[in-house]
Amino acid sequence: MLFRKKITRSCSYCQHGTSVGKEQILCVKRGIVSTNDSCRKFRYNPFKRIPPRVKALNFQKFDETDFSL
């Protein structure tokens, strides 16, 4: 969930961080840090959070009769 009260802190979705590469964040407070780091100045920015992709459904186990009325 994007807007839950308890979230794990990560510099990758902090208000003070900007992505530099896949594994590095440029933090205004601490400089270049890892994406998994966090500090006391953490401020959650929901627009930076990328939710996990939903798995594609497997429709091969169904046949025509399952979709007819």
Side-chain angles (χ1 to χ4, degrees):
M1 296 184 80
L2 289 175
F3 300 104
R4 63 182 181 223
K5 297 289 182 189
K6 289 264 187 174
I7 57 167
T8 55
R9 295 174 172 223
S10 174
C11 287
S12 60
Y13 44 85
C14 177
Q15 166 181 327
H16 303 294
T18 305
S19 179
V20 177
K22 285 187 176 183
E23 298 294 323
Q24 292 183 337
I25 302 294
L26 178 61
C27 180
V28 174
K29 305 293 181 182
R30 296 178 64 201
I32 295 179
V33 294
S34 171
T35 56
N36 297 329
D37 286 344
S38 66
C39 66
R40 291 186 294 172
K41 297 290 186 177
F42 175 80
R43 294 286 172 236
Y44 179 61
N45 185 349
F47 294 112
K48 289 187 178 181
R49 182 99 183 250
I50 301 170
R53 296 195 72 139
V54 179
K55 277 187 167 181
L57 296 175
N58 183 6
F59 291 109
Q60 292 181 349
K61 61 183 177 182
F62 301 112
D63 58 358
E64 287 273 335
T65 58
D66 292 326
F67 295 103
S68 63
L69 294 176

